[in-house]
Amino acid sequence: MADFMKSYEPQTYAAMRIVTGLLFLWHGTQKLFGFPLPAHPDAPAFVLYVAGPIELVGGVLVMIGLFTRWTAFLCSGLMAAAYWMAHGTQALFPLVNGG
C-alpha cells in the first residue's frame, strides 16, 4: 500500500467489507424474497434454498464484521461453485464464457 494511504487502512478495509457484505445481502434477498428483482426463473430450487440463506446471513455477518473469516471462506466457496456451475462449463477464461 502507498505510504500516504497507510493512515486510511482501517477505513478502507471497513468500506470494502461493508460493500462486499451488502452485495451478498442483496443477492440473498433476491433469491429468497424476490427483492429488489425476482430470481432467475430457470434457477434450480437448491440454488435458491441453499445459496440464498448463505448469501443473506453471510452478507450480514461480513457487513457487521462478525465471524468475518469463516463467513468469507464459506461465501467464497459458494461463489466458486456458482461460477463453475454457471460459467466454468462453457470455457475456461471469463472473457470467453461471459463470467
Side-chain angles (χ1 to χ4, degrees):
M1 184 176 284
D3 289 335
F4 72 93
M5 290 186 63
K6 289 226 186 260
S7 61
Y8 299 109
E9 187 175 352
Q11 292 88 354
T12 305
Y13 177 69
M16 183 180 69
R17 193 185 70 230
I18 290 167
V19 169
T20 302
L22 183 63
L23 289 173
F24 272 111
L25 177 69
W26 193 352
H27 284 281
T29 58
Q30 178 186 14
K31 286 181 181 68
L32 292 176
F33 308 123
F35 177 79
L37 297 171
H40 195 277
D42 296 334
F46 75 89
V47 169
L48 299 176
Y49 298 120
V50 172
I54 291 174
E55 290 173 350
L56 181 72
V57 174
V60 170
L61 290 175
V62 167
M63 208 164 41
I64 64 174
L66 189 63
F67 305 117
T68 308
R69 292 181 184 191
W70 288 104
T71 306
F73 179 74
L74 178 66
C75 290
S76 67
L78 174 72
M79 291 299 103
Y83 174 80
W84 285 106
M85 286 173 53
H87 301 288
T89 57
Q90 298 171 6
L92 181 62
F93 297 110
L95 187 62
V96 179
N97 67 21

